[in-house]
Amino acid sequence: MGFWIIRRWPLTLGIAAGAAALMLCEPAAGWLQYDRSLVLRGQIWRIATCHLTHWSNVHALWSGLAFVALAGMCEVRSRLLTATTICISSVAIGGAMLLFLPKVEVFRGLSGIDSALLGLLAVMILRSRTSASAKWLALAAIVLFALKVSGEMLGLRSVFLGKESEVIPLPAAHLIGFVTGLCVGFCPMKSRVRPGN
């Protein structure tokens, strides 16, 4: 059973394992997090690697669980589209922070990529030959996501982080990620999208 899961979700499990390992090695996480001043000095890898780092075990847990669920559902449908979404969104989010959000000095977390995978999964379901109820669920996910980002923009805290959390959600990262996932999902690619299970 374990080998079957590894064969079906190698990309998902590999990234999740990397993020989990970084929680055990804080010095490495500090070397990979987004740090605007260091990126501007030439450490550009931080634009993409910051997504593997987290501020706390709770932050890593919620972000990681969402990643495994969403990436796993996307990967069984199309590994190519999943990998493309993860790669493009990781660079797009970090790049947008560098160009348009100068007040964001440090950043960690998978939530932007989680948002991208949610957008991709919604499009995969909407474009597949699946039941009407599944398509309605995909549309509902899009609406709920829009409400979540709107709430974050108004200053509401994430229910997953809790009121006492020092982690401040960055709605721009979530929005950029989500739009990236939608765009990748709608792009014509030669990879066949397998129907949902």
Side-chain angles (χ1 to χ4, degrees):
M1 178 69 175
F3 180 70
W4 178 84
I5 291 173
I6 291 170
R7 268 189 61 214
R8 291 268 299 210
W9 295 2
L11 178 66
T12 299
L13 296 177
I15 292 172
L22 284 172
M23 280 307 300
L24 302 173
C25 186
E26 179 56 31
W31 193 69
L32 298 175
Q33 74 180 11
Y34 175 87
D35 184 316
R36 182 179 177 80
S37 62
L38 295 175
V39 171
L40 291 173
R41 287 184 207 154
Q43 297 183 16
I44 49 177
W45 67 81
R46 293 173 178 271
I47 286 174
T49 59
C50 62
H51 305 286
L52 294 173
T53 63
H54 293 85
W55 295 111
S56 68
N57 290 335
V58 172
H59 184 212
L61 177 67
W62 285 115
S63 218
L65 287 174
F67 178 82
V68 169
L70 292 165
M73 287 187 279
C74 290
E75 189 171 1
V76 295
R77 288 170 169 83
S78 172
R79 189 163 296 144
L80 175 60
L81 291 178
T82 304
T84 301
T85 299
I86 292 169
C87 291
I88 293 175
S89 64
S90 66
V91 174
I93 293 163
M97 284 192 297
L98 185 66
L99 294 173
F100 305 115
L101 299 171
K103 291 185 178 179
V104 178
E105 295 178 9
V106 290
F107 174 83
R108 293 184 181 191
L110 272 170
S111 60
I113 293 176
D114 292 344
S115 301
L117 292 166
L118 177 63
L120 175 65
L121 181 61
V123 173
M124 286 175 156
I125 292 170
L126 291 172
R127 295 185 75 183
S128 68
R129 293 185 195 123
T130 188
S131 66
S133 60
K135 293 188 178 190
W136 279 111
L137 276 173
L139 286 172
I142 292 171
V143 171
L144 289 172
F145 179 83
L147 291 172
K148 173 189 177 295
V149 171
S150 299
E152 289 172 348
M153 288 181 172
L154 293 171
L156 300 177
R157 287 300 188 100
S158 170
V159 294
F160 301 113
L161 295 176
K163 293 179 181 176
E164 304 304 318
S165 174
E166 294 180 6
V167 178
I168 300 169
L170 187 61
H174 301 161
L175 188 58
I176 293 163
F178 190 70
V179 170
T180 301
L182 292 177
C183 291
V184 172
F186 280 117
C187 279
M189 295 183 91
K190 292 186 178 179
S191 173
R192 182 173 64 89
V193 177
R194 295 184 286 278
N197 296 338

